[in-house]
């Protein structure tokens, strides 16, 4: 996909449009995407502490976990995933 070509196509469509409902719909879509993008990166302080503790635990004992292959195999066996 040529992103620049896509952007140009969208820009042209918006520039040439005389339909207020279309412009309003695009505006709402962009605002909605921005809200989702901004909120998807928020991590509470409590969760940050949990992540920090897990990283410290892993650093102290890096061999204590299981490989993704083992976990995936167990999930496939148990749930058919």
């Amino acid at each position: 996909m040529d992103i620049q070509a896509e952007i140009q196509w969208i820009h042209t469509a918006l520039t040439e449009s005389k339909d207020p409902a279309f412009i309003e719909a695009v505006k709402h879509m962009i605002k909605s995407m921005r809200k989702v993008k901004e909120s998807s990166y928020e991590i509470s302080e409590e969760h940050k502490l949990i992540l920090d503790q897990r990283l410290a635990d892993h650093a102290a004992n890096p061999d204590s976990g299981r490989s993704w292959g083992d976990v995936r195999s167990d999930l496939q066996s148990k749930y058919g995933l």
Side-chain angles (χ1 to χ4, degrees):
M1 175 190 319
D2 181 358
I3 295 294
Q4 290 304 319
E6 296 289 329
I7 291 170
Q8 183 59 44
W9 182 85
I10 293 167
H11 181 267
T12 300
L14 287 169
T15 303
E16 293 174 355
S17 177
K18 304 295 183 217
D19 182 358
F22 172 69
I23 301 298
E24 192 68 18
V26 172
K27 183 173 79 173
H28 285 295
M29 182 183 67
I30 292 169
K31 285 182 176 183
S32 176
M33 287 175 48
R34 286 180 179 163
K35 285 180 186 175
V36 168
K37 193 176 218 180
E38 290 168 4
S39 67
S40 65
Y41 292 108
E42 293 178 18
I43 300 174
S44 71
E45 288 304 316
E46 180 181 4
H47 284 134
K48 287 178 185 178
L49 291 172
I50 292 169
L51 291 171
D52 288 341
Q53 181 59 51
R54 289 181 181 179
L55 280 171
D57 291 346
H58 175 67
N61 193 1
D63 296 326
S64 67
R66 297 174 54 206
S67 73
W68 170 241
D70 290 344
V71 173
R72 181 177 50 205
S73 179
D74 287 351
L75 290 171
Q76 287 172 335
S77 296
K78 189 171 184 177
Y79 301 106
L81 300 175

